[in-house]
Structure formats: structure tokens, C-alpha cells
């Protein structure tokens, strides 16, 4: 730990402990007096609680500073196939940061709340410190299953899970102000590769709608947002989808034929 930070933590703890002890002594003396004014006692107790809360917040801030002083940039360990960019997964961030922040008395817990806008999910992270202070951080993420061009690219369940996962990862980076490599923009680079056109997107969606549910699910897993497909991948993907659609059409035709034979023995 940084020596200057450690000294500030120690000095703050001593000052606040002294002030808290003084208030407690006043309260104890007041409580021992049978003619003690109850309202005065309540004001003293409220003052003591505020001082404790302030002390806990101070310890939180100092510990956060100490934890950040030990954290280093985290290297990317995953690739966004849609944009050919690299980013750090939540598991990579957690593995690098958890040992540090827990050693400084922090614990994290996540929850979700309704967001202000429909089609979004609010991811909330509660950061608690051993001294007693808790601070909440929140981030609203899209969860409507829509792609960049407005088309449906995933189910609502998948969309909520994806939004929560992205929110947790982004919050973890934001809380501790952690840099992730040089290329970790999760596919939003200023010099991003050329993407498919709107016409190509419509063609993909049209052929996909003629495929089986299984094929559609696999495609959505590979391309959560088809609008982000790079142009050099279009020919390969459209040929594969057209083949799958043709097989599914034959499968349905055979089912109809077999059903007709069963009705006319």
C-alpha cells in the first residue's frame, strides 16, 4: 500500500476515534443524570450516529484510494467476432481485481432495478466496506433485444441476461477506474471495420426467418446484433443460412407428405 495513503488512513482513524469517544463519554454522563433532558440525549445520539457514518465514509474513500493504487491495467482476453476487437471478460477483471479490493475490506454485490426507459435494465452494484459504509453504482443497459438497426436479434430473456452481463462488466471497470489494454472498446473503435449494408441486413433477416428455430438460436448466439456483422463475413453467413433454410423447407414438406399418407391409409 502507498505509504502516504496508509498514513492518511491512520491519522483519520485516530481523529475520528477520539471524537467518537468524546461524544460517547458525554452521552454516558448525560444518561447517568436522572434529570437528563430526553431531547438533548436524542440529539447527542443523532450526532454520534452522524459522526460514525462520516467516519465510515472516510475509511471507505481512503481504502478505495489504496486499492486503486495497487491496481494495474487488465489485458484483454476475449475477441468480439463481430468487430474483430478484443476486450476483457468479467472473469478476467474479477480475477485481477477481487484479491485487491477484498484485501482492503470491500465486497461487491449486484442487483437489478427497473430503468427509467422501457426496454432497458438498470444494473446496480453495492460496494460495501468493512468500516460500515456502502455506496451504490448503477448503469442502464439496453434489454429489448433490438440491434443497432432496430431489428429483433435476440429473445427478451437473452436480452436481459446480456444487458445484465454487460452492465456488471462495465460497472466493475468504472468503480475502480481500471484501464483495459489499448484496444478494449468492445467493438466501438473509431476505425472499426466496414459493416454490412442495410440491404444485406434485410437479406440476412429474411433468409433467417425461413430457418428452423434451432438455426435461428445458433445464429443469434454467434451474431447477437447482425447489423454489426463485418462485410467480409456476409457471403459465408448468407450461404450457410440459405442452405439451412432449404433443408428446413424440405423437412417441412416431408412432414406434410407423411401426415397426408397417415390420413389416407
Amino acid at each position: 500500500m502507498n505509504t502516504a495513503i496508509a498514513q492518511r488512513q491512520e491519522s483519520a482513524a485516530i481523529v475520528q476515534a477520539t471524537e467518537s469517544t468524546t461524544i460517547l463519554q458525554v452521552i454516558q454522563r448525560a444518561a447517568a443524570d436522572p434529570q437528563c433532558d430526553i431531547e438533548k440525549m436524542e440529539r447527542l445520539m443523532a450526532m454520534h450516529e452522524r459522526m460514525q457514518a462520516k467516519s465510515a465514509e472516510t475509511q471507505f474513500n481512503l481504502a478505495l484510494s489504496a486499492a486503486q493504487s495497487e491496481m494495474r491495467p487488465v489485458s484483454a482476453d476475449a475477441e468480439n467476432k463481430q468487430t474483430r476487437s478484443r476486450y476483457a471478460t468479467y472473469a478476467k477483471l474479477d480475477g485481477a481485481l477481487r484479491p485487491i479490493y477484498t484485501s482492503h475490506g470491500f465486497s461487491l454485490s449486484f442487483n437489478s432495478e427497473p430503468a427509467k426507459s422501457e426496454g432497458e435494465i438498470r444494473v446496480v452494484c453495492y460496494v460495501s466496506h468493512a468500516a460500515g459504509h456502502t455506496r451504490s453504482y448503477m448503469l442502464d443497459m439496453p434489454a429489448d433485444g433490438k440491434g443497432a438497426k432496430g431489428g429483433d436479434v435476440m429473445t427478451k430473456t437473452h436480452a436481459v441476461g446480456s444487458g445484465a452481463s454487460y452492465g456488471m462488466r462495465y460497472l466493475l471497470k468504472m468503480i475502480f477506474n481500471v484501464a483495459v489494454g489499448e484496444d478494449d472498446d468492445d467493438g466501438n473503435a473509431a476505425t472499426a471495420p466496414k459493416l454490412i449494408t442495410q440491404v444485406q441486413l434485410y437479406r440476412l433477416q429474411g433468409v433467417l426467418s425461413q430457418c428452423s428455430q434451432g438455426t435461428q438460436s445458433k445464429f443469434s448466439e454467434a451474431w447477437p446484433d447482425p447489423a454489426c456483422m463485418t462485410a467480409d463475413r456476409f457471403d459465408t453467413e448468407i450461404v450457410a443460412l440459405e442452405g439451412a433454410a432449404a433443408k428446413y423447407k424440405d423437412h417441412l414438406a416431408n412432414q406434410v407428405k407423411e401426415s397426408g399418407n397417415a390420413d389416407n391409409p
Side-chain angles (χ1 to χ4, degrees), residues 195-213:
L195 303 182
I196 60 175
T197 65
Q198 189 69 43
V199 173
Q200 289 174 319
L201 175 62
Y202 288 151
R203 186 180 173 191
L204 279 173
Q205 293 173 333
V207 177
L208 185 63
S209 67
Q210 301 173 35
C211 296
S212 67
Q213 188 62 48

Side-chain angles (χ1 to χ4, degrees), residues 9 11 34 50 61 102 153 159 162 176 201 221 224 227 247-248 250:
Q9 285 182 317
S11 298
R50 288 196 299 271
N61 292 334
T102 54
V153 297
S162 177
F176 295 107
L201 175 62
E221 290 177 4
K247 289 182 180 179
Y248 186 55
D250 292 340

Side-chain angles (χ1 to χ4, degrees), residues 246-263:
K247 289 182 180 179
Y248 186 55
K249 182 178 180 180
D250 292 340
H251 171 70
L252 292 177
N254 288 333
Q255 282 188 326
V256 171
K257 183 178 180 180
E258 291 174 0
S259 176
N261 292 336
D263 293 337

Side-chain angles (χ1 to χ4, degrees), residues 1 4 51 66 82 104 137-138 167 177 216 227 234 239 252 257:
M1 183 189 301
M51 291 182 65
Q82 299 177 29
H104 288 277
Y137 300 78
M138 61 188 65
N177 192 27
Q216 292 183 32
F234 176 76
V239 168
L252 292 177
K257 183 178 180 180

